[in-house]
Amino acid sequence: MELAELKELADKEKAEQKPIRIRCCTAAGCLSSNSQAVQQALTDAVTTAGLADRVEVLPVGCMRLCCEGPLVQVDPDGAMYGKVDPGQAASIVGTLQGGQTEARVIDTNMPFFRDQVSIVLENSGRINPERIEDYLSVGGYQALLHVLREMTPNQVVETMTRSGLRGRGGAGYPTGVKWGLIAKQPATQKFVICNADEGDPGAFMDRSVLESDPHRVLEGMAIAAYAIGASQGFVYVRGEYPLAIHRLEIALRQARKMGVLGTQIFESPFNFRIDIRIGAGAFVCGEETALIGSIEGKRGTPRPRPPYPTESGLWQAPTLINNVETLANVAPIITRGAEWYASIGTAKSKGTKVFALAGKVRNTGLVEVPMGITLRKIVEEMGGGSPGGSIKAVQTGGPSGGCIPASALDTPVDYESLTALGSIMGSGGMIVMDDATKMVDVAKFFMEFCMDESCGKCVPCRAGTVQMYRLLARIVEGEATAADVAQLEALCDLVRNTSLCGLGQSAPNPVLSTLRYFREEYNALLQPAPPAPPPSNQRIPLPVARG
Amino acid sequence: MNSITLTIDGKLISAPGDQTILEAARENDIHIPTLCNLEGISAVGACRVCLVEVSGSNRLAPSCLTKVAEGMQVQTATDRLREYRKMIVELLFAERNHICSVCVANGNCELQDLAVTVGMDHVRYEYQYPSCSVDVTHKEFGVDHNRCILCTRCVRVCDEVEGAHTWDVSGRGMQSRVITDLNQPWGTATSCTSCGKCVQACPTGALFRQGSTVAEMKKDRELLDFLMTAREKKQWIG
Amino acid sequence: MTDAHPSGDKRFKLLDASMKRYQFQPDALIEVLHKAQDLFGHLDHDLLLYIARNLKLPPSRVYGVATFYHLFSFTPKGEHTCLLCLGTACYVKGAAKLQATLEKQWDLKLGDTRSDGKMSLLGARCVGACGLAPVAVLDGKVSGNLNPEALLQLVKGWDGDGTR
Amino acid sequence: MDRVKMATVWLGGCSGCHMSFLDMDEWLVDLAQRIDLVYSPLVDVKEYPEDVDVCLVEGAVANDENLHLVRRIRARTRLVISFGDCAVTGNVTAMRNPLGVALEVLKTSYLDKSNLHPAIPSEPEILPVLLDQVRPVHAVIPVDYYLQGCPPPADRIRAVLEPLVNGVWPELPLAERRFG
């Protein structure tokens, strides 16, 4: 197949689309609010109204404003309805014939939608994720074809490097550089792994992408595979995401059937096969060496790096591990060019970032924003602020991240700024906390998480998190003194510096960041300490003159 | 392998390029404490006791796994490292029920020795007092989980040297336990060849020979190195 | 070749087919465990041993892997399951209250199945429906924006006639 | 020269550390020249006095009486020494802790494992009440010095006391820091 034919397919698909399309969100969030019944009711209403020849009802992926689900949007005029009840279907369809609807109208011009810049989510909520034809109709797999026909692997790596894309899993390693390291390895067997083990509680960007636009991730993997010389890929996806797994399976089947994955892709010598591996509930498996162990069918315990997976990963072969969002950026960068991508964002953090906005914030859901936007803009303008009170802190980076105080909300979102604040970019979970949230409780919550999720291999993480948790519990119970806080801080230092993997090394972050910004909340819980006696060894010589 | 030069604690050392920092240090009489490491089996870098500082890196490096490099400057016993080691040993003592006075390995225990080496005079952390079982169903040996530090030497020696893979680790985090076969009584674990290497490899009194009472469980930890060397060099053939 | 399971239970045939699909590769262990749990509901010793034999893995390795991951369970689950999301967003929005409500109502601790086998109360790290926090998954169906009263309403009837 | 006001106490322990203390044999005579033993199981004083210079605390904190005494000791003593493994780590005394809280321990000992007249002893005001968990001394009060060993060998005790009574801070060599 050549580009012209692929484009022809896309055009044909577009031509077959009906002029009016009613899109109904069927990502996991809206599905749980009964969107499937809404979709059915809409379809029935279209038939009943005799509009079936020019109106179609389309199941699509995430439309972002999760708190208003089930969401329905009507093309081409773009009217959006929220919290749609199946009983409102007829009146929504009726609007197409000049009727009125009692359905809740969502303002698509509010900052939540208006200030988004869509790259990763450009197809989310627009196409049917279960039809490869829908993906083709929006230019899908054209980037892969272009790469196979027109670019050398080196050129692909070089394009990724110039784009400035950095890993969206949290650490922010430059994607092109990583690809280049693996491309240089002489090994014949290499692997691409898509890390879809979205383990941070409060993060659901990757789930949404997989549920809404799975082919984009597969295309990104295939381009990566071509660039580094791999012929086998794995998607390691959380077992807690059944719908994402289901849609990935469908996408893989369709991609194989269409010949965009498999052997001699687009009649080129390039072969690439993708298999799904389903995680079984272990946060630590987001760590790349643990993830590799898990794919190999082992306990997901990390091993020390070096050697890095880029040299010795899955079955000791050089292995590229990129997260879902990183891979979802690949095809657009190829299509629109590295310079276009690099023009978005800040000097060191390019492009956009998808955040999952949740917690004590009015508008919960997904926002894709250019790097460099301020936290305030995200949580106050787009998120609509906190419904119950004022915002106290924003938590980013999950259990590895930190709590950013309201006073720092004007910080631009980029890797370095968030790290400087004692948090991390993380994978994109952004949880808003208001005045009712007790920050020491939050630190304890995360420490319990890390303690339970520690794999148990290295001593500081296994035993240190337990002690930190105990100390935090004592503080929360009001039994602790300043000495306990000092010991907590010493343990933070130990666990951060001596743990084997990222889980342990970052486990102290929620404690350290809450201590840094909310120490008075700790102090308020402490027992008054008795006045410190002089050091023991200064209490001799013993026989003091006693009269 | 080319010889390279590096400094460890300021001492100029020449070492084969495939050596680890730990090996190079030992050959030059520089003592780096270890716990999960055992000659003759693979290194896992789990106990974090052998961490050292390497100039130019802000990460501490496990000396058991980090290869020497030309011009490398290694510090093995800075104040910071000493404090970390002491804390780690204290964490281990607080984690299970290590009661030296009534332990079969009293006087022959690497954990007890390490506590002395790092200068642990008491444990600053809250003792966990987990409820741990003692399994004496095996006809010759026993396992006392109260004393286990999860170094996985038994797991590795059983897999890598004996080839039986009777041992593994179950659960995770603080719930981790070493197990035999399907977490069944050791005496019923059919894969066990009763070779006893795990008992010799165990640094503490967690694995012991039955009939040993307090302080009687002497261990021959060189045995494994001897076996492995003999095997590699085919010393027993011809 | 599979050593057919002596019980003749048809589910083993399905498990065999799954293992065959992975060519009995030891690295397929986690996939096979998923399949086994789908078929049997939980993983008992006999099943684990059967998998170990067929994948040519040491039993301790199989047990070690199975117990490492949260999603595998070793005891039968109740007729109904309530999976509470314990993620950060749900935490901030009061998941602890939901937990306390059900623990009290059912006289159960999180992670346990009631002795009459009626229901299991489980916790998840995050089900990824944070926009709807707090969330519970009731018999596989996600319910969001919950409060204790709404949750109790949803699980009404799980107790049978409501008396115990 | 002033004499050192010294005390020794015996909390939850076996008195082995005190036996080892007596094993210092003839040096005890020298020690006696330098100290007044103001409170000890070895002397008949009922009330822990004020203004004690140094106290050797044997045993872990196991019951309410131990807890009361050890707090009083801290308030009235300049240097508190955890004397032996039970005081330093909980040791054998703390072996009951994995069984659970006090009631569980009593049930196990006096009901489950008893073949004759199973009953939990209860004599309020006479029998001290068990704490739910046995704790090392430093978990309850600040401790100034730790003397390891079960029991600490006589020479080790002397190596600590001899400098102390001469007004020198004792520095035990690492090898003398061994538990067990």
Side-chain angles (χ1 to χ4, degrees):
Chain A
M1 195 173 350
E2 291 307 319
L3 191 60
E5 294 170 70
L6 198 58
K7 285 185 168 158
E8 205 174 291
L9 259 180
D11 291 341
K12 183 166 157 274
E13 184 62 31
K14 263 189 244 166
E16 284 173 8
Q17 289 172 0
K18 294 176 184 164
I20 297 175
R21 311 179 91 202
I22 304 177
R23 290 180 280 115
C24 181
C25 176
T26 56
C30 285
L31 270 188
S32 75
S33 322
N34 213 16
S35 70
Q36 207 153 25
V38 172
Q39 186 201 333
Q40 188 57 51
L42 285 165
T43 310
D44 294 346
V46 167
T47 313
T48 311
L51 296 170
D53 55 332
R54 59 188 190 95
V55 181
E56 60 183 334
V57 178
L58 189 66
V60 294
C62 180
M63 305 214 277
R64 308 184 196 190
L65 189 60
C66 300
C67 57
E68 291 285 351
L71 290 164
V72 170
Q73 191 166 25
V74 183
D75 284 340
D77 70 341
M80 186 186 263
Y81 304 98
K83 298 196 170 157
V84 177
D85 185 76
Q88 298 166 334
S91 70
I92 290 176
V93 172
T95 61
L96 301 173
Q97 297 168 316
Q100 293 290 313
T101 177
E102 72 280 19
R104 186 179 164 88
V105 177
I106 305 289
D107 174 13
T108 51
N109 279 322
M110 67 177 174
F112 181 87
F113 292 108
R114 195 190 58 211
D115 294 341
Q116 300 215 20
V117 172
S118 293
I119 297 174
V120 169
L121 300 180
E122 62 187 344
N123 299 332
S124 287
R126 308 206 70 82
I127 63 170
N128 180 347
E130 298 189 8
R131 286 187 77 235
I132 191 170
E133 295 82 0
D134 271 37
Y135 184 61
L136 295 179
S137 77
V138 290
Y141 289 108
Q142 290 181 14
L144 175 62
L145 180 60
H146 175 79
V147 159
L148 294 181
R149 291 282 186 276
E150 312 287 340
M151 294 173 84
T152 64
N154 265 341
Q155 287 171 325
V156 178
V157 169
E158 199 263 334
T159 302
M160 294 313 292
T161 309
R162 270 191 297 124
S163 76
L165 176 65
R166 294 168 64 174
R168 296 292 191 246
Y173 194 81
T175 305
V177 174
K178 200 191 242 184
W179 290 20
L181 284 174
I182 302 166
K184 271 192 232 116
Q185 296 282 332
T188 49
Q189 174 78 288
K190 299 177 188 176
F191 296 102
V192 174
I193 297 174
C194 169
N195 184 350
D197 190 49
E198 186 171 57
D200 286 359
F204 52 95
M205 308 74 50
D206 295 349
R207 173 182 65 73
S208 283
V209 170
L210 292 173
E211 286 174 359
S212 307
D213 197 9
H215 284 286
R216 151 187 301 264
V217 179
L218 303 183
E219 186 177 6
M221 286 179 75
I223 293 169
Y226 173 74
I228 66 163
S231 57
Q232 169 75 55
F234 291 94
V235 184
Y236 185 85
V237 56
R238 288 187 83 197
E240 289 89 338
Y241 289 174
L243 184 64
I245 295 167
H246 175 68
R247 291 197 173 149
L248 263 175
E249 281 168 347
I250 292 173
L252 275 176
R253 219 164 29 235
Q254 293 173 343
R256 276 187 217 122
K257 199 166 160 210
M258 189 144 285
V260 295
L261 286 178
T263 49
Q264 299 183 346
I265 295 170
F266 289 121
E267 298 91 38
S268 77
F270 174 61
N271 304 324
F272 186 55
R273 179 192 158 90
I274 298 179
D275 286 303
I276 299 176
R277 286 287 181 270
I278 298 167
F283 175 69
V284 68
C285 287
E287 198 278 343
E288 54 184 20
T289 60
L291 187 154
I292 286 168
S294 190
I295 292 181
E296 291 174 352
K298 298 177 183 153
R299 291 165 59 81
T301 51
R303 59 154 180 78
R305 303 175 302 175
Y308 287 88
T310 50
E311 292 164 50
S312 174
L314 194 57
W315 294 297
Q316 283 81 52
T319 303
L320 172 70
I321 304 175
N322 275 149
N323 119 305
V324 171
E325 191 182 337
T326 312
L327 290 164
N329 272 300
V330 171
I333 289 173
I334 296 295
T335 308
R336 280 171 256 179
E339 287 66 28
W340 160 77
Y341 196 80
S343 71
I344 305 165
T346 68
K348 283 175 149 181
S349 302
K350 302 294 186 194
T352 59
K353 177 79 194 85
V354 182
F355 288 102
L357 206 48
K360 300 286 186 70
V361 63
R362 230 170 238 113
N363 301 326
T364 60
L366 290 187
V367 292
E368 183 172 7
V369 290
M371 294 277 193
I373 190 173
T374 63
L375 284 165
R376 187 179 304 285
K377 183 144 186 173
I378 297 176
V379 298
E380 287 190 350
E381 291 185 31
M382 302 177 77
S386 173
S390 59
I391 292 175
K392 182 180 193 176
V394 175
Q395 210 281 340
T396 67
S400 313
C403 296
I404 299 166
S407 60
L409 281 184
D410 289 314
T411 309
V413 167
D414 63 64
Y415 291 97
E416 282 71 24
S417 302
L418 293 183
T419 305
L421 286 176
S423 187
I424 57 168
M425 174 79 79
S427 59
M430 190 175 274
I431 307 216
V432 179
M433 297 171 180
D434 67 5
D435 290 337
T437 315
K438 296 180 182 137
M439 302 314 286
V440 188
D441 285 357
V442 170
K444 178 176 157 237
F445 167 81
F446 281 117
M447 193 51 69
E448 184 176 20
F449 181 95
C450 291
M451 172 177 81
D452 287 346
E453 294 297 328
S454 167
C455 80
K457 179 173 177 176
C458 80
V459 183
C461 175
R462 182 183 76 226
T465 52
V466 175
Q467 295 293 343
M468 289 195 281
Y469 174 74
R470 292 290 169 106
L471 287 166
L472 286 162
R474 277 170 59 97
I475 295 168
V476 168
E477 299 297 322
E479 293 167 3
T481 64
D484 291 308
V485 176
Q487 187 168 76
L488 177 65
E489 290 184 279
L491 279 166
C492 284
D493 178 60
L494 174 84
V495 173
R496 165 182 271 194
N497 287 305
T498 64
S499 291
L500 192 157
C501 83
L503 188 153
Q505 288 159 14
S506 63
N509 285 353
V511 180
L512 291 170
S513 72
T514 47
L515 274 168
R516 178 168 160 189
Y517 298 113
F518 304 97
R519 191 178 278 267
E520 70 285 356
E521 292 195 29
Y522 283 82
N523 290 341
L525 292 165
L526 297 183
Q527 295 270 335
S536 306
N537 57 2
Q538 286 171 21
R539 267 176 274 158
I540 55 165
L542 287 162
V544 290
R546 273 192 302 272
Chain B
M1 192 46 108
N2 290 340
S3 188
I4 58 104
T5 54
L6 71 158
T7 66
I8 302 184
D9 294 342
K11 184 175 170 185
L12 195 63
I13 279 169
S14 127
D18 62 344
Q19 264 191 345
T20 62
I21 294 172
L22 180 64
E23 288 165 336
R26 280 187 176 161
E27 281 188 10
N28 288 276
D29 295 323
I30 296 168
H31 178 72
I32 301 174
T34 57
L35 205 48
C36 65
N37 185 69
L38 184 65
E39 278 186 42
I41 56 175
S42 62
V44 288
C47 72
R48 318 307 281 173
V49 164
C50 77
L51 290 180
V52 294
E53 290 178 13
V54 176
S55 298
S57 165
N58 53 9
R59 284 257 168 91
L60 301 175
S63 61
C64 62
L65 280 164
T66 310
K67 295 267 190 277
V68 295
E70 187 62 45
M72 190 183 242
Q73 292 174 302
V74 179
Q75 292 291 330
T76 73
T78 60
D79 287 349
R80 174 176 174 232
L81 289 172
R82 285 174 200 272
E83 179 59 18
Y84 285 161
R85 283 177 194 142
K86 195 162 145 185
M87 290 170 85
I88 288 170
V89 175
E90 287 179 37
L91 285 173
L92 282 171
F93 269 91
E95 184 178 38
R96 298 269 174 113
N97 307 307
H98 295 282
I99 303 164
C100 300
S101 57
V102 293
C103 180
V104 290
N106 189 7
N108 302 292
C109 171
E110 291 182 39
L111 182 65
Q112 191 184 26
D113 291 346
L114 192 57
V116 170
T117 307
V118 301
M120 177 184 106
D121 65 354
H122 72 294
V123 172
R124 287 166 286 183
Y125 309 115
E126 193 182 333
Y127 285 93
Q128 302 299 300
Y129 300 116
S131 178
C132 295
S133 61
V134 181
D135 174 2
V136 286
T137 56
H138 191 281
K139 62 187 189 303
E140 290 177 63
F141 313 120
V143 52
D144 179 354
H145 292 282
N146 291 292
R147 314 281 192 255
C148 176
I149 56 169
L150 295 169
C151 67
T152 69
R153 284 186 189 181
C154 54
V155 177
R156 284 174 282 154
V157 77
C158 186
D159 178 61
E160 297 169 19
V161 185
E162 177 61 10
H165 203 115
T166 300
W167 292 102
D168 209 309
V169 180
S170 76
R172 69 180 189 213
M174 60 178 160
Q175 310 299 339
S176 303
R177 294 285 184 278
V178 290
I179 51 160
T180 49
D181 284 6
L182 286 177
N183 191 25
Q184 64 205 65
W186 192 356
T188 69
T190 50
S191 68
C192 177
T193 61
S194 302
C195 73
K197 291 189 195 71
C198 53
V199 177
Q200 301 301 341
C202 176
T204 70
L207 299 182
F208 55 90
R209 184 174 286 282
Q210 286 202 29
S212 331
T213 177
V214 171
E216 283 187 356
M217 188 57 226
K218 305 251 189 306
K219 301 208 174 184
D220 181 5
R221 300 207 175 85
E222 275 87 59
L223 173 76
L224 299 170
D225 197 30
F226 170 76
L227 282 176
M228 290 311 281
T229 311
R231 194 180 283 182
E232 272 166 34
K233 297 189 177 162
K234 306 208 185 318
Q235 287 169 335
W236 291 337
I237 298 173
Chain C
M1 268 306 283
T2 321
D3 299 322
H5 192 273
S7 69
D9 187 329
K10 283 212 179 80
R11 292 175 294 183
F12 282 102
K13 281 235 160 39
L14 294 167
L15 185 61
D16 292 346
S18 172
M19 289 192 282
K20 195 169 176 195
R21 197 157 66 83
Y22 291 106
Q23 298 164 321
F24 301 96
Q25 291 286 327
D27 53 63
L29 175 57
I30 294 172
E31 305 301 306
V32 172
L33 289 172
H34 273 302
K35 184 71 187 175
Q37 180 152 304
D38 283 348
L39 290 167
F40 292 85
H42 71 284
L43 307 169
D44 65 17
H45 275 207
D46 177 58
L47 187 54
L48 290 172
L49 199 59
Y50 183 74
I51 292 168
R53 291 224 173 98
N54 281 292
L55 298 184
K56 308 273 186 290
L57 282 167
S60 60
R61 162 91 182 274
V62 172
Y63 192 86
V65 169
T67 53
F68 186 85
Y69 297 95
H70 279 314
L71 294 188
F72 297 127
S73 81
F74 305 91
T75 47
K77 288 209 188 84
E79 281 169 45
H80 297 283
T81 57
C82 173
L83 181 81
L84 289 176
C85 181
L86 307 174
T88 321
C90 293
Y91 168 79
V92 170
K93 289 209 160 178
K97 273 190 210 138
L98 301 183
Q99 183 183 338
T101 303
L102 284 190
E103 283 183 342
K104 184 158 170 263
Q105 176 78 11
W106 292 344
D107 190 19
L108 260 186
K109 283 270 162 249
L110 194 73
D112 288 349
T113 299
R114 209 167 69 183
S115 51
D116 63 3
K118 288 274 188 214
M119 69 277 288
S120 302
L121 180 59
L122 308 170
R125 280 288 162 223
C126 181
V127 298
C130 316
L132 307 171
V135 170
V137 185
L138 304 168
D139 286 336
K141 189 180 175 306
V142 179
S143 297
N145 294 315
L146 290 170
N147 56 43
E149 296 72 41
L151 181 58
L152 284 178
Q153 196 58 38
L154 287 168
V155 299
K156 212 172 151 188
W158 285 18
D159 251 337
D161 57 6
T163 55
R164 296 205 285 118
Chain D
M1 195 189 248
D2 287 317
R3 291 157 75 92
V4 174
K5 283 171 80 176
M6 185 168 146
T8 75
V9 295
W10 171 22
L11 308 179
C14 71
S15 92
C17 301
H18 275 80
M19 296 299 122
S20 196
F21 182 89
L22 295 177
D23 272 350
M24 290 194 291
D25 296 342
E26 69 273 14
W27 190 73
L28 286 172
V29 179
D30 295 347
L31 181 66
Q33 310 297 315
R34 302 282 302 113
I35 65 164
D36 283 330
L37 194 59
V38 295
Y39 183 87
S40 171
L42 308 171
V43 298
D44 192 17
V45 177
K46 300 287 183 237
E47 180 77 1
Y48 193 89
E50 299 279 353
D51 205 19
V52 178
D53 288 313
V54 58
C55 180
L56 293 174
V57 180
E58 176 189 340
V61 183
N63 59 38
D64 59 349
E65 188 182 296
N66 296 158
L67 187 64
H68 178 74
L69 178 57
V70 84
R71 285 186 174 145
R72 173 167 289 184
I73 288 170
R74 182 68 273 179
R76 298 181 175 184
T77 315
R78 286 152 93 208
L79 283 177
V80 174
I81 298 179
S82 275
F83 178 36
D85 281 359
C86 289
V88 181
T89 73
N91 200 33
V92 174
T93 314
M95 281 171 71
R96 73 159 158 98
N97 287 351
L99 292 177
V101 297
L103 189 60
E104 291 302 317
V105 173
L106 292 168
K107 271 190 196 157
T108 309
S109 315
Y110 288 97
L111 301 181
D112 303 351
K113 312 269 184 204
S114 157
N115 354 350
L116 211 59
H117 313 305
I120 293 178
S122 168
E123 298 283 343
E125 306 295 311
I126 297 174
L127 281 178
V129 179
L130 288 193
L131 300 178
D132 276 340
Q133 293 273 285
V134 175
R135 306 177 74 190
V137 174
H138 68 265
V140 179
I141 57 161
V143 166
D144 300 299
Y145 202 85
Y146 300 88
L147 183 44
Q148 296 78 14
C150 181
D155 291 347
R156 194 183 289 175
I157 304 172
R158 179 176 167 179
V160 172
L161 292 184
E162 194 164 6
L164 258 188
V165 295
N166 289 308
V168 176
W169 187 253
E171 298 287 355
L172 278 183
L174 282 184
E176 292 299 322
R177 290 267 181 217
R178 181 172 282 273
F179 292 92

